[in-house]
């Protein structure tokens, strides 16, 4: 499957590299306002192909996106240290108003995969600008937060993260909801697994893991100025699920008719991913506290999306 990536900065180029190493695409086209940057990134990634999969990686303009099954939207301004994702909103909304029509002129049948932050609101904006069905405008959402949750639980339980089943829903950001009530290992609630293996999980452990997941981006940005590797891997995973029509359950963001009583809001829930984008949505069982937290997250995102309508 041919994949286009609009925005060849840290996230876009890292996603292209991850797709190359994973073999998630047969062809990758990088498009950027800075054509020299796109060319350089394409050449650099192409030099890794002998160590990975036979992927054609090149740069081009929007016309070169023709025939792409997925286009990753990674264009936008970077998040600054101490800046919340929602503060990025107005600047990046204007960028999307320019790049989405050009993208769809070239490849009207593609799935749009949104990576630009704040990703949930940008997904809602992209859906509005494109006029596409919400199932074809997918934000990376909490795919990365879920991975962080599983990784930290795996470390605490001394397990491979793939043996831990836990999800993060809601906003990819400060109001996200870690679903502790349904987190399991070996078919057991994680607290019970920890107790059975002689390492009981304390309230301090839970608080530390929550902090590690919720504040991860801030800590990384403080240290190196941006995040790229985790989200690049997540985008490659989403592309592979679409290409192979996997029907895999992945936490990601689309515009959803109703979430906890909040209408028309984009946020992450477990979604069935396959050819064409999102094939279905699963609402997990929630405790009253988790349901209230999800409602708060949905309200925050809805307010942010409403506030930027005048910009478009």
């Amino acid at each position: 499957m041919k994949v286009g990536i609009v925005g060849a900065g840290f996230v876009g180029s890292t996603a292209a590299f991850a797709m190359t190493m994973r073999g998630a695409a047969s062809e990758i086209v990088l498009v950027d306002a800075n054509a020299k940057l796109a060319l350089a990134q394409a050449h650099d990634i192409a030099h890794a192909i002998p160590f990975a999969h036979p992927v054609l990686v090149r740069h081009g303009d929007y016309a070169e996106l023709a025939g792409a099954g997925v286009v990753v939207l990674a264009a936008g301004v970077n998040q600054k240290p101490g800046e919340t994702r929602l503060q990025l909103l107005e600047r990046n909304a204007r960028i999307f108003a320019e790049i989405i029509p050009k993208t769809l002129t070239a490849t009207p049948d593609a799935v749009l995969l949104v990576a630009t932050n704040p990703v949930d609101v940008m997904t809602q904006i992209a859906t509005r600008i494109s006029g596409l069905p919400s199932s074809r405008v997918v934000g990376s959402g909490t795919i990365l937060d879920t991975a962080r949750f599983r990784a930290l639980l795996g470390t605490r339980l001394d397990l491979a993260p793939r043996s831990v089943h836990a999800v993060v829903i809601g906003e990819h950001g400060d109001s996200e909801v870690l679903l502790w009530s349904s987190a399991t290992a070996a078919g057991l609630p994680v607290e019970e697994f920890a107790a059975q293996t002689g390492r009981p999980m304390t309230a301090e452990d839970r608080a530390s893991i929550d902090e590690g997941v919720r504040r991860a981006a801030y800590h990384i940005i403080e240290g190196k100025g941006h995040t790229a590797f985790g989200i690049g891997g997540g985008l490659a995973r989403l592309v592979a699920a679409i290409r192979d029509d996997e029907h895999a359950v992945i936490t990601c963001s689309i515009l959803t008719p109703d979430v906890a009583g909040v209408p028309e809001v984009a946020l992450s829930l477990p979604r069935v991913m396959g050819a064409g984008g999102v094939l279905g949505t699963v609402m997990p069982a929630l405790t009253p506290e988790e349901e209230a937290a999800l409602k708060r997250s949905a309200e925050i995102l809805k307010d942010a999306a409403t506030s930027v309508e005048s910009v478009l």
Side-chain angles (χ1 to χ4, degrees):
M1 181 177 70
K2 180 177 179 179
V3 175
I5 299 179
V6 179
F10 292 120
V11 170
S13 62
T14 305
F17 179 71
M19 292 176 205
T20 299
M21 300 306 288
R22 185 186 182 105
S26 58
E27 180 180 355
I28 299 171
V29 178
L30 293 168
V31 177
D32 196 278
N34 182 346
K36 288 184 178 180
L37 174 63
L39 174 61
Q41 300 283 35
H43 281 176
D44 197 12
I45 295 166
H47 297 161
I49 290 173
F51 311 116
H53 296 269
V55 181
L56 173 62
V57 182
R58 60 190 180 91
H59 84 297
D61 58 21
Y62 285 92
E64 300 297 319
L65 298 175
V70 174
V71 175
V72 176
L73 302 179
V77 293
N78 292 330
Q79 184 177 5
K80 300 174 183 178
E83 183 181 38
T84 68
R85 290 178 175 86
L86 296 182
Q87 289 173 322
L88 293 172
L89 178 56
E90 184 172 323
R91 292 183 290 159
N92 283 334
R94 289 193 174 97
I95 291 171
F96 268 34
E98 179 181 351
I99 67 174
I100 288 176
K102 294 179 181 179
T103 297
L104 291 179
T105 296
T107 181
D109 297 324
V111 174
L112 300 183
L113 187 51
V114 180
T116 302
N117 277 321
V119 69
D120 301 293
V121 182
M122 295 307 298
T123 299
Q124 185 154 348
I125 289 169
T127 305
R128 175 183 170 187
I129 293 171
S130 69
L132 296 175
S134 59
S135 60
R136 285 178 51 200
V137 185
V138 183
S140 56
T142 60
I143 188 172
L144 179 53
D145 309 273
T146 291
R148 290 167 174 162
F149 192 19
R150 291 175 175 173
L152 290 174
L153 280 170
T155 298
R156 174 60 182 78
L157 301 172
D158 195 23
L159 285 176
R162 288 190 176 187
S163 294
V164 178
H165 301 280
V167 299
V168 179
I169 62 174
E171 179 195 3
H172 171 55
D174 297 340
S175 71
E176 63 192 23
V177 185
L178 282 66
L179 296 188
W180 284 94
S181 67
S182 56
T184 63
L188 298 172
V190 291
E191 289 89 349
E192 186 173 342
F193 181 93
Q196 284 197 29
T197 54
R199 302 177 63 190
M201 187 172 293
T202 66
E204 289 76 15
D205 291 329
R206 286 180 54 137
S208 177
I209 291 171
D210 186 282
E211 165 74 10
V213 174
R214 197 178 303 276
R215 302 292 298 177
Y218 293 100
H219 296 316
I220 295 169
I221 290 168
E222 182 180 6
K224 61 181 260 187
H226 67 276
T227 63
F229 295 118
I231 188 56
L235 292 166
R237 176 71 187 96
L238 284 163
V239 167
I242 294 169
R243 179 199 63 186
D244 297 337
D245 193 21
E246 286 188 31
H247 291 230
V249 177
I250 300 174
T251 52
C252 56
S253 183
I254 64 170
L255 183 61
T256 307
D258 181 272
V259 179
V262 179
E264 295 296 316
V265 61
L267 49 64
S268 285
L269 290 168
R271 316 280 186 182
V272 180
M273 295 295 302
V278 171
L279 307 179
T281 296
V282 179
M283 177 58 73
L286 306 175
T287 66
E289 292 78 13
E290 290 168 343
E291 186 170 0
L294 179 59
K295 181 178 178 65
R296 287 194 299 273
S297 189
E299 289 171 342
I300 289 169
L301 292 169
K302 179 68 172 181
D303 289 345
T306 300
S307 72
V308 79
E309 286 181 354
S310 61
V311 176
L312 303 176

